[in-house]
Amino acid sequence: MNFKKITNYFKYSKEQSKAVLLLFGIIITSQMIYFFVDFDSQEENDPEEQQWLSLQHGIDSLKIQKDSLAYKVYPYNPNFISDYKGYKLGMSIAEIDRLHDFRNKNKYVNSAAEFQSVTKVSDSLLQTMSSNFKFPDWVTNKKSTTKYVNYTTKAFAKKEKVQSDINSATQEDLIKVYGVGAAFSERILKYKATLGSFVSMDQIEDVWGLSPEAVQGVKDNFKIGTTTNLNKLDINNASLKEISRFPYFNYKQATSIITYRSMNGDFVNIEDLIKIKGFPVDKAKIIALYLDFD
């Protein structure tokens, strides 16, 4: 090997030597800057990037929290179960469709047993779901009442221990009762004229203004006698105005009756009327005697 020839490559002029030294200086300086200067600090201090990192951290926390939450069921009316809610509750598509088909006929389920009859859900699923069923108060109240019995006017009369027929009583007869003066006696007679005849002594309680003592006094001194001229309401043909004038119905109840009749057809008996929201169920036995269903 010719070393002499090789060494010729490492012979520099004065200017070349300065250039080489300068190059080495730049390289060494660059390396020192790379190792000793923290370039990430500027990026971490970037306000915009910090804001995005903070937002991303919040999103990640919400995702973790959402995944850890269980589906909580609050009390609900089973008549209004949506597809999604039914799915979350464990119902099959067929069971949900049966409920929706039933509701599309403008019908309502009013008990857990009726819900199962319509949807065909299993006993185990019904037991889980029914603990959160919440039906309207009027449905609950209706269920708590005793089954309607079609009493006759004689049944009312047997319960009363009385002396005179209230339907033939005059103002002078009524005034003799303690607590019933001229004004109240006239009010009782006007109320009787609206009905045609009383069918129960309990109707005296509906006369506005009478004290409990006066009501009891009338009950003790009178009885139900003749009830031949009842002013009956043709419930299947009466207008809104006629129904709202009936002593036991207000305008709102009359509107509900007209709406129900137009959607479901004629009423067959008093039990059809009991289904209407707001119907005075506690007076159903008396009201039935003043209605004509033919």
Side-chain angles (χ1 to χ4, degrees):
M1 181 179 293
N2 191 349
F3 290 99
K4 186 177 181 180
K5 187 176 181 180
I6 294 173
T7 55
N8 289 334
Y9 289 103
F10 296 96
K11 293 180 180 180
Y12 303 105
S13 63
K14 187 177 181 179
E15 289 77 10
Q16 290 175 334
S17 298
K18 291 180 179 180
V20 171
L21 290 173
L22 179 61
L23 178 60
F24 275 113
I26 293 172
I27 293 174
I28 292 172
T29 302
S30 299
Q31 291 295 323
M32 292 179 67
I33 292 173
Y34 178 77
F35 283 107
F36 294 104
V37 177
D38 187 1
F39 292 97
D40 295 334
S41 61
Q42 182 177 359
E43 296 179 0
E44 292 177 356
N45 294 328
D46 186 355
E48 185 176 354
E49 184 172 353
Q50 288 297 317
Q51 185 177 2
W52 278 108
L53 289 174
S54 177
L55 180 61
Q56 184 62 45
H57 178 72
I59 293 174
D60 294 339
S61 299
L62 289 175
K63 286 183 178 179
I64 295 174
Q65 184 179 6
K66 181 180 179 181
D67 294 338
S68 63
L69 290 175
Y71 181 73
K72 188 174 182 180
V73 181
Y74 295 92
Y76 60 92
N77 188 332
N79 288 288
F80 303 103
I81 293 178
S82 62
D83 291 337
Y84 174 74
K85 187 174 183 67
Y87 164 75
K88 295 297 290 185
L89 292 171
M91 296 177 66
S92 67
I93 296 176
E95 291 167 347
I96 298 172
D97 288 343
R98 292 189 193 104
L99 176 62
H100 289 175
D101 291 341
F102 182 79
R103 287 289 294 108
N104 288 336
K105 298 176 183 177
N106 198 32
K107 297 181 179 180
Y108 295 85
V109 294
N110 294 322
S111 66
E114 191 173 356
F115 177 82
Q116 184 180 35
S117 176
V118 171
T119 60
K120 310 300 182 185
V121 297
S122 63
D123 293 339
S124 58
L125 180 57
L126 178 67
Q127 184 177 3
T128 302
M129 296 177 63
S130 60
S131 61
N132 291 292
F133 282 179
K134 183 178 181 181
F135 295 102
D137 293 338
W138 67 272
V139 173
T140 306
N141 292 337
K142 185 185 76 173
K143 289 184 177 182
S144 64
T145 58
T146 56
K147 184 174 178 60
Y148 168 73
V149 179
N150 187 17
Y151 290 98
T152 63
T153 55
K154 291 183 179 180
F156 288 116
K158 290 179 180 178
K159 296 181 180 179
E160 307 297 336
K161 296 179 180 180
V162 292
Q163 298 176 356
S164 304
D165 183 3
I166 186 65
N167 289 316
S168 60
T170 64
Q171 187 172 12
E172 289 73 16
D173 296 330
L174 293 169
I175 291 177
K176 295 177 183 179
V177 178
Y178 177 78
V180 180
F184 286 133
S185 61
E186 184 177 355
R187 192 173 296 173
I188 293 173
L189 293 175
K190 284 184 178 180
Y191 190 66
K192 185 197 72 173
T194 303
L195 298 170
S197 296
F198 290 118
V199 295
S200 168
M201 290 305 300
D202 290 338
Q203 291 175 284
I204 300 299
E205 299 174 5
D206 299 329
V207 178
W208 182 80
L210 280 179
S211 65
E213 293 79 12
V215 170
Q216 190 59 47
V218 174
K219 288 183 176 181
D220 291 340
N221 287 276
F222 295 92
K223 68 177 181 179
I224 297 298
T226 56
T227 57
T228 56
N229 56 338
L230 298 181
N231 294 333
K232 291 201 172 187
L233 176 68
D234 186 356
I235 193 65
N236 289 318
N237 297 293
S239 64
L240 176 63
K241 185 176 182 180
E242 291 172 333
I243 296 176
S244 61
R245 286 180 175 177
F246 185 67
Y248 291 100
F249 298 145
N250 55 36
Y251 184 83
K252 184 177 180 180
Q253 293 166 341
T255 303
S256 299
I257 291 173
I258 292 292
T259 302
Y260 187 93
R261 189 178 69 187
S262 63
M263 297 179 66
N264 298 278
D266 289 350
F267 298 103
V268 177
N269 49 43
I270 191 64
E271 292 184 354
D272 288 341
L273 283 166
I274 291 176
K275 300 175 184 177
I276 298 175
K277 182 178 180 180
F279 185 87
V281 179
D282 57 326
K283 298 182 183 297
K285 295 180 292 185
I286 293 175
I287 293 174
L289 301 175
Y290 292 98
L291 299 180
D292 188 355
F293 295 93
D294 295 333

